[in-house]
Amino acid sequence: MTIATACLILHQQGRLLGEVCSCQPIYDGEITTSVFTKIPLGKFVLGTFLASLIHSLALPATAQTAQLGVVRSPDNAVNWSGITSRVQSTGVPYCIVDFAQVRQASDLGKTQFLLLPNIERLEPVQLQALQDWTNQGGRLIVTGPMGTLSQPETRNQLRSLLGAYWGFALTKPSTLAALGINKNWIAGTGLANPIQGGVVIPAGLNATTAAVWSQGDNQPPAVVTTEKTTFFGWNWGSEAVAPAATDSAWLRAALSRYGVTASAASKAASSAQFCVPAQAAALPLPNLSAKPATVTKVAQNEPDFGVVPLQVQPTQTGSMTAREVAAMSQELENLIGRFESALLAANATNSSVMQTSAAIAQFPTTATKASVNSNPQTTTAGAIGAIANARTGLQNFRNAVAQRDYNRARQQWFAARRALWDNYPTDRKRSQAEVRAIWLDRGTIVRAKSEQDLAKVFDQLAAAGFNTVFFETVNASYPIYPSRVAPQQNPLVKGWDPLEAAVKLAHARGMELHAWVWIFAAANRRHNAILNQSADYPGPVLTAHPDWAMFDGRGRLFDVNNKKAFFDPANPEVRNYLMSLLDEIATRYKVDGIQLDYIRYPFQDPSVNQTYGYGRAGRQQFQAQTGVDPINVRVSDRVLWQKWTDFRIQQIDSFVATVSQRLRAQRPNLI
């Protein structure tokens, strides 16, 4: 007879006796006389019936008394053998949770603790189950890139639940060092063993860095804890990452935070059972030694401000630390700025008048909550009023802190945040999607070495919430792709086309890919050193065309400050070459945009004789216009110096205009 059959029989018998019965006694493993002296006779009869069923079912002890549930999913299937062997070595009874079957808190069984090793994908319903389970008193131990491949909203809520998030993997193994009071529970966890881990980033006032990676002066967080969670910054259960003894010791240490101790020599059952689902209505999780933190669920209609809400309650009392005050002040400032941006974007679509942030502040500051979502104009007024009230609330918060009236400070802070949430402009379309972008530089691309390696980078970027990548396509005259225009592809990239791969990888993840191109910066001494070239090597293009170069007022090719050599923007041949290069990128690759970098002359300071623009073509053209060679123009001659300045400005302006017109004629939607 199965557990499900036993529950069904119990349920049917209970209905006949007029009682609503629970299967809970089956799984407690301790049905005693004292339990039944407090319940009606009908339940006692049923309990006796079930007691005999327990013996006939002969459930393994692990399924009945397990304190620890170990979550299994497709993400950790490869390392499952290593995970279970390490758990067994701790001596803590455990059972297995099939994550694919989790839809509510009761599906997590009657365990007190959950170990979620290396789970990168969570569905919203699974996250909700974890939130409800922890609210009932459960504790989480998570490892590795937790939730990084989940949807953005799920990742954001997961950060709030865990108080931290996976940042990025480290490039080499490192040892762990405990911090401060955490040495009490971390003691004896085998810190000497190097681990191939990653950085865990704290994301809330209740988060504490328990251990760091020892990398000389750089000590990024490795283990982050809250009252409810412990987050290990490595893939737990893999011999390639950490020795089994180290993993097991850290798990024992995490459990010891809550008073759970077990001998490493004792062994749990060699074949653990799946955790028995609990009856949600009858499952009060046991009180643990650590007091559960208060949790406030964020209202469903609160906008995604792109930040993790601070774990602060309006009913909290007592003093505030300087860290709390700084964090709360910064968050409110960020929310006000984000709100203003959202309002500007919303109004841009629904009005022929573009409003500035300064103009917004002059709008009426009174509106009622009832006006929201009814009329765009009244909604705008309410939103603007919320901004003004939030600014006032921020100042009141700071004033209350200065007066040490911390209760009033918290009230002011919450009122300001609530006003922003209640008036967020959700009734209209925004003019454009929000851009969350990152520059992906040449060094990272070169280290990737293949499309497969580059895919891992794009997975990390997508997991972090980026939707736009500026991909370094031309650096110091070297394109990252095999070009028909440029004389030489970057020699550190051989055998593949990173730009082609990047476009495909970005679009597959719903991201935009923009080609980031160095325009007038033609050579770089730092790059020369990487390629074992002479420091004065002018790059492949200027080597072929030395008359395309620009010099400073002393005749020097390389800028003494940024160590770069520049093209002469006034040279028609330079402009044609660069235009051909941009044409090639825009037509051969389905890039979403082209970013013009170094679209300028080097930074100048005439007071110390650092002036630029004295290429052959530039000097000839200016002399043809004014009769004066610009090399002889001094700042003291204000009229001529202004003409020389205007001449150089015009070279940049006209080139940008040409690029824009030409590329948009070919691809109207190109950014």
Side-chain angles (χ1 to χ4, degrees):
M1 183 181 295
T2 65
I3 291 291
T5 305
C7 283
L8 179 60
I9 294 173
L10 172 62
H11 182 66
Q12 292 171 339
Q13 294 286 344
R15 290 182 61 189
L16 292 174
L17 293 173
E19 302 284 357
V20 178
C21 62
S22 168
C23 293
Q24 186 181 358
I26 296 181
Y27 314 127
D28 284 340
E30 295 179 358
I31 298 180
T32 63
T33 304
S34 60
V35 173
F36 293 102
T37 58
K38 301 177 182 179
I39 60 179
L41 178 61
K43 286 190 177 179
F44 176 80
V45 173
L46 290 176
T48 305
F49 167 71
L50 284 172
S52 63
L53 278 180
I54 291 174
H55 294 291
S56 65
L57 291 172
L59 288 176
T62 18
Q64 301 175 45
T65 63
Q67 293 177 293
L68 176 67
V70 183
V71 177
R72 180 173 184 173
S73 87
D75 293 331
N76 59 28
V78 173
N79 295 321
W80 187 246
S81 176
I83 290 170
T84 54
S85 64
R86 285 159 168 77
V87 173
Q88 289 172 18
S89 69
T90 66
V92 176
Y94 75 99
C95 57
I96 300 168
V97 174
D98 183 0
F99 210 37
Q101 304 301 319
V102 171
R103 291 295 179 268
Q104 55 190 357
S106 58
D107 294 335
L108 297 171
K110 294 190 61 181
T111 55
Q112 300 172 10
F113 310 96
L114 279 180
L115 171 64
L116 295 97
N118 324 326
I119 295 177
E120 300 178 72
R121 298 172 181 83
L122 284 87
E123 298 299 329
V125 67
Q126 294 170 326
L127 175 61
Q128 186 63 55
L130 291 175
Q131 290 173 326
D132 293 342
W133 185 80
T134 54
N135 288 346
Q136 295 174 29
R139 297 295 185 264
L140 298 174
I141 303 169
V142 303
T143 73
M146 180 71 181
T148 53
L149 299 184
S150 304
Q151 294 299 315
E153 178 61 25
T154 300
R155 293 198 305 270
N156 191 41
Q157 293 181 31
L158 187 62
R159 290 185 184 188
S160 298
L161 175 64
L162 301 178
Y165 61 96
W166 174 271
F168 53 89
L170 297 174
T171 58
K172 59 182 180 181
S174 302
T175 56
L176 288 161
L179 295 182
I181 61 172
N182 298 290
K183 293 179 180 178
N184 296 333
W185 63 271
I186 292 177
T189 50
L191 300 179
N193 291 318
I195 298 175
Q196 184 63 58
V199 176
V200 178
I201 301 175
L205 290 177
N206 62 338
T208 300
T209 299
V212 296
W213 297 113
S214 296
Q215 296 186 332
D217 294 334
N218 183 27
Q219 294 188 318
V223 178
V224 176
T225 63
T226 69
E227 286 186 291
K228 295 186 173 187
T229 64
T230 305
F231 199 141
F232 292 160
W234 65 92
N235 279 311
W236 196 90
S238 170
E239 196 67 35
V241 173
T246 299
D247 276 344
S248 300
W250 275 97
L251 178 57
R252 284 196 298 272
L255 293 170
S256 73
R257 292 185 62 208
Y258 306 109
V260 178
T261 58
S263 171
S266 65
K267 302 293 182 181
S270 61
S271 179
Q273 301 295 309
F274 281 95
C275 299
V276 179
Q279 295 298 305
L283 177 61
L285 287 176
N287 292 325
L288 304 177
S289 58
K291 182 180 178 181
T294 305
V295 173
T296 295
K297 291 186 69 175
V298 179
Q300 293 299 314
N301 62 345
E302 289 176 0
D304 175 13
F305 283 108
V307 296
V308 178
L310 293 175
Q311 301 298 308
V312 182
Q313 305 305 315
T315 56
Q316 280 181 306
T317 59
S319 63
M320 300 168 65
T321 66
R323 182 185 176 201
E324 287 177 307
V325 171
M328 293 171 71
S329 180
Q330 185 63 57
E331 179 177 321
L332 193 50
E333 287 181 356
N334 291 347
L335 296 185
I336 292 171
R338 185 70 176 271
F339 191 101
E340 288 178 333
S341 297
L343 185 59
L344 284 168
N347 287 343
T349 297
N350 299 277
S351 172
S352 59
V353 179
M354 289 298 292
Q355 302 172 31
T356 65
S357 185
I360 281 182
Q362 304 304 316
F363 273 77
T365 59
T366 58
T368 62
K369 173 82 184 297
S371 68
V372 176
N373 295 329
S374 59
N375 184 296
Q377 290 183 337
T378 56
T379 304
T380 297
I384 294 166
I387 293 173
N389 291 337
R391 289 187 181 131
T392 302
L394 177 59
Q395 188 58 51
N396 291 341
F397 165 76
R398 290 167 173 164
N399 293 341
V401 169
Q403 297 166 10
R404 299 186 178 181
D405 189 348
Y406 300 115
N407 293 338
R408 184 165 68 88
R410 291 187 178 93
Q411 292 170 1
Q412 291 289 336
W413 187 77
F414 270 93
R417 290 172 95 232
R418 189 72 261 169
L420 294 174
W421 284 334
D422 287 346
N423 291 278
Y424 198 80
T426 58
D427 60 321
R428 291 154 289 168
K429 293 181 178 180
R430 297 178 60 181
S431 61
Q432 62 185 27
E434 179 183 63
V435 175
R436 299 186 296 276
I438 189 169
W439 283 279
L440 188 56
D441 69 337
R442 167 193 44 79
T444 305
I445 300 166
V446 167
R447 284 192 295 272
K449 298 187 183 303
S450 70
E451 181 176 331
Q452 290 73 25
D453 289 342
L454 194 60
K456 298 175 184 177
V457 176
F458 275 82
D459 284 341
Q460 291 180 318
L461 299 181
F466 290 105
N467 60 18
T468 304
V469 175
F470 295 115
F471 194 79
E472 192 161 24
T473 301
V474 179
N475 172 298
S477 293
Y478 292 103
I480 205 74
Y481 65 93
S483 173
R484 303 186 185 101
V485 176
Q488 185 179 356
Q489 183 184 9
N490 190 313
L492 300 177
V493 179
K494 296 180 179 179
W496 68 299
D497 187 337
L499 182 57
E500 180 181 45
V503 171
K504 180 173 69 173
L505 294 170
H507 290 174
R509 290 157 179 77
M511 307 163 74
E512 290 186 3
L513 195 290
H514 295 232
W516 162 21
V517 180
W518 289 26
I519 300 299
F520 294 126
N524 184 4
R525 278 181 168 161
R526 294 184 178 90
H527 196 237
N528 288 343
I530 295 173
L531 298 180
N532 295 319
Q533 298 277 9
S534 165
D536 293 329
Y537 177 61
V541 179
L542 286 182
T543 296
H545 304 279
D547 55 338
W548 289 7
M550 184 220 308
F551 302 91
D552 70 359
R554 303 179 188 180
R556 294 176 296 192
L557 175 63
F558 280 87
D559 177 15
V560 296
N561 294 313
N562 63 27
K563 315 300 182 185
K564 294 179 177 65
F566 279 68
F567 292 120
D568 181 359
N571 191 308
E573 295 178 351
V574 167
R575 296 162 75 98
N576 289 337
Y577 166 76
L578 292 172
M579 194 66 249
S580 297
L581 198 61
L582 296 174
D583 278 341
E584 179 181 55
I585 295 169
T587 55
R588 281 181 55 187
Y589 300 93
K590 294 181 180 180
V591 296
D592 299 285
I594 292 181
Q595 184 185 41
L596 309 182
D597 195 10
Y598 290 103
I599 187 68
R600 58 176 175 82
Y601 289 74
F603 294 129
Q604 310 196 43
D605 186 355
S607 65
V608 293
N609 196 25
Q610 288 183 359
T611 58
Y612 302 88
Y614 306 99
R616 178 183 59 81
R619 291 174 63 179
Q620 290 176 351
Q621 291 175 34
F622 184 78
Q623 187 167 7
Q625 292 178 16
T626 64
V628 179
D629 186 339
I631 199 70
N632 298 318
V633 176
R634 298 291 178 264
V635 178
S636 57
D637 188 341
R638 295 193 175 184
V639 174
L640 272 177
W641 184 260
Q642 187 59 52
K643 288 183 178 180
W644 174 229
T645 299
D646 291 342
F647 172 85
R648 289 174 290 176
I649 290 172
Q650 179 58 28
Q651 307 314 308
I652 305 300
D653 285 355
S654 61
F655 182 77
V656 172
T658 300
V659 169
S660 176
Q661 293 166 5
R662 184 161 164 176
L663 294 182
R664 283 177 173 161
Q666 298 171 355
R667 292 184 54 191
N669 294 326
L670 189 70
I671 301 171

